[in-house]
Amino acid sequence: MGFMGNKKVQKLPSIRRMPTYLHKLTQMRKNGLDTVSTTIMARYMNLEPIVVRKDLELTGVTGQPGVGYKIKDLIDAIKSFLNWHNTAEAVLIGAGSLGRALLGYEGFEDYGLNIIAAFDADPSKIGSEIHDREVFDIIRLPELASRLQVNMGILCVPNEYAQGSADMMIEGGINAIWNFTNVSLDVPEHVVVQREVIASGLAVLSVKLNQRIMEE
Amino acid sequence: MGFMGNKKVQKLPSIRRMPTYLHKLTQMRKNGLDTVSTTIMARYMNLEPIVVRKDLELTGVTGQPGVGYKIKDLIDAIKSFLNWHNTAEAVLIGAGSLGRALLGYEGFEDYGLNIIAAFDADPSKIGSEIHDREVFDIIRLPELASRLQVNMGILCVPNEYAQGSADMMIEGGINAIWNFTNVSLDVPEHVVVQREVIASGLAVLSVKLNQRIMEE
DNA sequence: AAAATATAGATAAAAAAATATCGATACTCT
DNA sequence: AGAGTATCGATATTTTTTTATCTATATTTT
Ligand SMILES: NC(=O)c1ccc[n+]([C@@H]2O[C@H](COP(=O)([O-])OP(=O)(O)OC[C@H]3O[C@@H](n4cnc5c(N)ncnc54)[C@H](O)[C@@H]3O)[C@@H](O)[C@H]2O)c1
Ligand SMILES: NC(=O)c1ccc[n+]([C@@H]2O[C@H](COP(=O)([O-])OP(=O)(O)OC[C@H]3O[C@@H](n4cnc5c(N)ncnc54)[C@H](O)[C@@H]3O)[C@@H](O)[C@H]2O)c1
């Protein structure tokens, strides 16, 4: 029964690896390569080849026994699997230090994400431009989000304003929230949320380190 | 047989949830609460209570049937499970936009992480202070890391310098690398690496959104 | 041409994670 | 005091994920 926040997504670990495959494959294509084997991909990512094969199977692409996969096919298949063939437009809320970093991240281009505007509450930021994107007054979020037909919002405000900002996004018709705050948002059924908990990685690293030390 | 990068860590999903438990519990304690049930934690995190119970079991803490857990016990147990009772010191390499954000993140205090210095190659940054931490010349990394006895490094340099910087860290005795670049690092057996792929979250969000749309 | 090697795909097995069930304990409300 | 409800812990079950094995196909080497 439970409290049914977001519906469950399967193959999470595989999905999370897709961007790295995409990145490496894009690089390889730039270097003039045409085909690639799971062995090579696996070595690059410190995985077992069988893992890579299973992941790629998910995208529906098929390789050639004895040879490998066509890099171009893979890139297309992964993008289509992730729905990244059409660029998604997003707005960013909270142009603070994290928000600023995300606005300046060129990596997003490869991932079909285009941040078209930022919103903030700080008068000294409103009206300015950060990495070529205008910073609007947060009050205008519902109006502009709705007018621009954006459906993704990137949330980088201080924790105490997270829920309020999320509500405004939803009011403006946004239905996908990429949440970098420490708050578990309360949203209606039709809105999907992905929360990024940076400390999770630190937790994993700590445990790995401790384990390494223990066994020596 | 494979290429044995880092040894496998078990209960990854549980470990990743720990920091969020910790954060919420710390908040609750500040609000004067003494006990908590898995039902409450689960509702906060959009999980099933049974998931929370299993996660907490991992820390060795035991609750009281009919009542719940002592918040203080839980906090201690989680910190000890993650090895976060003793603050870990770390250096940050690459004081660019992401590095700057991480240097300014107060959340790390709660997670037992203390970034004691930054390193960069840009002469205009070297010698300056960012959020009270001095920025040193990258050339001094091996020497200083070794002298300061740091064993964690946070890597935020541009991709093309990632491997080189990692090598310098290792030369300075660092054996845990938190890697925010897009590069899969090549490191000796005794070094553990945790790579943070920000686009992974975006991939998950995209798939969630697509799934939600499909089923309507 | 034959042998050795590398590869994907299909299927099977093993391991891990998530979920369910149930009994015992404590609290709440009448 | 008793009924109803919430809770944890132990155990069992189900589902999902990871890993292995085996076969057919292509490439490379001899
Ligand atoms: N800095 C990091 O490295 C980091 C890492 C992980 C998570 N986070 C999380 O990201 C969030 C932001 O962190 P930060 O370090 O960038 O903080 P910050 O203080 O640098 O930036 C917050 C920004 O939000 C703006 N803001 C405040 N109230 C607002 C409102 N009501 N509407 C719109 N904008 C508003 C502020 O003016 C500021 O520009 C926090 O929840 C933090 O926990 C930060
Ligand atoms: N900006 C983001 O939001 C973001 C998100 C995810 C990942 N990343 C990754 O983080 C890394 C850094 O990104 P960024 O946006 O902060 O870039 P940036 O260009 O803002 O910062 C890079 C910093 O590294 C310094 N540097 C360059 N060469 C160096 C060297 N050899 N030794 C030490 N320092 C050196 C530069 O002077 C600069 O200060 C990249 O790999 C990027 O892909 C960034």
Side-chain angles (χ1 to χ4, degrees), chain B residues 2 11 14 23 30 72 88 97 144-145 161 173:
Chain B
K11 311 282 180 187
S14 301
H23 176 78
K30 275 185 195 143
K72 190 179 167 313
S97 49
L144 285 174
Y161 303 108

Side-chain angles (χ1 to χ4, degrees), chain A residues 21-41:
Chain A
Y21 294 131
L22 195 54
H23 176 78
K24 188 65 183 173
L25 290 166
T26 306
Q27 258 189 347
M28 287 176 147
R29 184 161 61 171
K30 274 186 194 141
N31 292 340
L33 293 176
D34 282 331
T35 62
V36 67
S37 74
T38 53
T39 318
I40 291 173
M41 290 304 289

Side-chain angles (χ1 to χ4, degrees), chain B residues 67-88:
Chain B
V67 184
Y69 301 81
K70 289 216 171 111
I71 291 178
K72 190 179 167 313
D73 289 358
L74 279 182
I75 292 177
D76 290 348
I78 293 174
K79 281 193 176 165
S80 143
F81 176 78
L82 296 176
N83 241 53
W84 282 358
H85 30 222
N86 309 315
T87 300

Side-chain angles (χ1 to χ4, degrees), chain A residues 6-71:
Chain A
N6 292 323
K7 244 279 269 333
K8 205 174 332 155
V9 175
Q10 234 143 341
K11 310 281 181 192
L12 243 287
S14 300
I15 294 171
R16 298 186 65 90
R17 284 188 288 265
M18 292 296 176
T20 304
Y21 294 131
L22 195 54
H23 176 78
K24 188 65 183 173
L25 290 166
T26 306
Q27 258 189 347
M28 287 176 147
R29 184 161 61 171
K30 274 186 194 141
N31 292 340
L33 293 176
D34 282 331
T35 62
V36 67
S37 74
T38 53
T39 318
I40 291 173
M41 290 304 289
R43 187 169 304 150
Y44 173 71
M45 286 173 71
N46 269 176
L47 298 169
E48 301 296 321
I50 182 76
V51 174
V52 179
R53 199 155 332 127
K54 282 283 168 193
D55 287 347
L56 298 184
E57 189 181 311
L58 219 58
T59 68
V61 81
T62 118
Q64 178 70 342
V67 185
Y69 299 82
K70 288 214 171 113
I71 290 179

Side-chain angles (χ1 to χ4, degrees), chain A residues 94-98 120-122 125 138 156-159 161 180-181, chain B residues 101 105:
Chain A
S97 50
L98 180 61
D120 206 293
D122 181 346
K125 285 175 184 155
I138 179 72
C156 306
V157 298
N159 294 327
Y161 303 108
F180 287 85
T181 76
Chain B
Y105 186 43

